[in-house]
């Protein structure tokens, strides 16, 4: 009787995992809002919505962090980097076959940048290592940064006419080799936060100015991620069903127990 219970439990567990992963989206979008914006996507919503509307069945999730300014800005960034790492890792564990899109705006761009490319970032982040998990790094297909205070001139993924760095600019010579081919960072010279300009309206207008360009970039990366890549840096899975090996492990366990039961 006990063996029968174990067998039934193994079958039920395999079925549960199968059902959960089959309900996973092919694409999941994370959006991080700007300083003082109300909880949700904030100005990142323009790109989040465009990508979600362009990809049937795609889901989205906002990064939950303070997005505070003033003398608690650094603490807010620290909390934000941790939130990006935790939320993306939690999702990836539940849906390891889903592709991930990151969209960050202003402070939201800074926390996404730091989580994927590491610091240091003054008192907000001491480590130079990325905070995200290896599973997330394999499944992220595109990263959109708008009005990023970490902006520095000369990076291969920069878009816009800004040459000055932001108020939390990366040091000269900075690179993010693991992700630079899937990042697009938008910053114009008149932006006071990513380029020390003097027009707040510029900082607030990236969704309108570059939303469609960001969408096209994301779509191009999603299309590229459908190809099998086996170079050790990108592992793309287009199916949301569990891997045969994982599900198969339960099947072989059940068969082994049945064989023992009949001996």
């Amino acid at each position: 009787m006990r063996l029968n219970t174990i067998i039934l439990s193994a079958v039920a567990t395999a079925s549960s995992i199968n059902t959960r992963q089959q309900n996973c989206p092919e694409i999941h979008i994370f959006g991080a809002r700007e300083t003082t914006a109300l909880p949700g996507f904030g100005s990142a919503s323009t790109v989040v919505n465009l990508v979600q509307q362009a990809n049937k069945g795609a889901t989205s999730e906002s990064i939950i962090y303070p997005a505070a300014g003033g003398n608690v800005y650094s603490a807010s960034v620290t909390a934000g980097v941790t939130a990006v790492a935790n939320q993306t890792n939690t999702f990836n564990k539940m849906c390891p076959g889903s592709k991930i899109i990151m969209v960050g705006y202003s402070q939201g761009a800074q926390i996404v940048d730091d989580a994927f490319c590491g610091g240091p970032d003054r008192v907000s982040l001491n480590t130079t290592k990325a905070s995200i998990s290896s599973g997330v790094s394999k499944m992220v297909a595109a990263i959109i940064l708008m009005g990023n205070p970490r902006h520095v001139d000369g990076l291969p993924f920069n878009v816009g006419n800004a040459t000055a760095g932001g108020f939390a600019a990366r040091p000269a010579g900075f690179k993010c080799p693991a992700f630079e081919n899937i990042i697009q960072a938008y910053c114009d010279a008149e932006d006071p936060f990513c380029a020390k300009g003097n027009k707040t309206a510029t900082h607030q207008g990236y969704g309108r100015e570059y939303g469609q360009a960001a969408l096209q970039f994301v779509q191009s990366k999603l299309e590229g991620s459908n190809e099998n890549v086996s170079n050790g840096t990108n592992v793309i899975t287009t199916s949301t069903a569990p891997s045969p090996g994982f599900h198969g492990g339960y099947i072989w366990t059940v068969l082994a127990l049945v064989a023992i039961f009949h001996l």
Side-chain angles (χ1 to χ4, degrees):
M1 179 66 70
R2 184 179 178 185
L3 185 55
N4 287 339
T5 301
I6 293 174
I7 294 172
L8 290 174
S9 176
V11 173
T13 301
S15 177
S16 175
I17 292 171
N18 184 36
T19 299
R20 185 178 70 217
Q21 294 192 3
Q22 283 183 341
N23 289 333
C24 287
E26 182 178 353
I27 299 164
H28 189 66
I29 312 153
F30 286 94
R33 72 194 192 278
E34 70 272 31
T35 305
T36 72
L38 295 174
F41 296 118
S43 295
S45 62
T46 300
V47 176
V48 170
N49 290 339
L50 285 171
V51 175
Q52 191 163 3
Q53 291 165 6
N55 296 279
K56 185 178 180 180
T59 54
S60 60
E61 173 182 347
S62 63
I63 298 298
I64 302 171
Y65 83 113
N71 59 6
V72 294
Y73 183 89
S74 292
S76 178
V77 170
T78 300
V81 173
T82 299
V84 171
N86 289 345
Q87 286 182 236
T88 56
N89 187 46
T90 296
F91 173 78
N92 179 252
K93 284 183 176 180
M94 292 189 300
C95 299
S98 297
K99 286 170 280 191
I100 293 172
I101 305 297
M102 303 298 304
V103 181
Y105 205 104
S106 193
Q107 185 180 166
Q110 183 171 349
I111 65 174
V112 172
D113 185 343
D114 281 353
F116 280 82
C117 298
D121 186 357
R122 298 182 182 178
V123 297
S124 301
L125 185 68
N126 293 323
T127 180
T128 59
K129 296 180 180 179
S131 303
I132 49 95
S133 69
S134 59
V136 172
S137 69
K138 292 174 182 176
M139 294 312 296
V140 62
I143 300 171
I144 299 296
L145 306 175
M146 291 184 155
N148 183 11
R150 305 235 68 190
H151 170 80
V152 64
D153 191 34
L155 296 178
F157 46 75
N158 287 348
V159 177
N161 60 7
T163 55
F167 67 79
R170 293 283 188 177
F174 164 78
K175 293 183 179 181
C176 186
F179 302 106
E180 67 179 20
N181 67 319
I182 61 168
I183 297 175
Q184 199 94 122
Y186 301 88
C187 180
D188 283 330
E190 295 178 331
D191 187 323
F193 303 106
C194 70
K196 298 184 177 70
N198 57 13
K199 287 190 177 181
T200 303
T202 298
H203 184 69
Q204 296 171 333
Y206 290 115
R208 179 181 63 256
E209 183 72 16
Y210 293 112
Q212 288 298 325
L215 172 62
Q216 291 176 16
F217 177 79
V218 170
Q219 294 303 102
S220 71
K221 294 303 176 181
L222 286 171
E223 291 171 6
S225 72
N226 287 329
E227 300 175 3
N228 292 324
V229 181
S230 57
N231 60 10
T233 57
N234 293 301
V235 180
I236 305 301
T237 305
T238 57
S239 173
T240 56
S243 65
F246 189 75
H247 191 193
Y250 279 98
I251 294 174
W252 284 112
T253 299
V254 172
L255 290 175
L257 289 170
V258 171
I260 293 171
F261 178 75
H262 285 287
L263 288 177

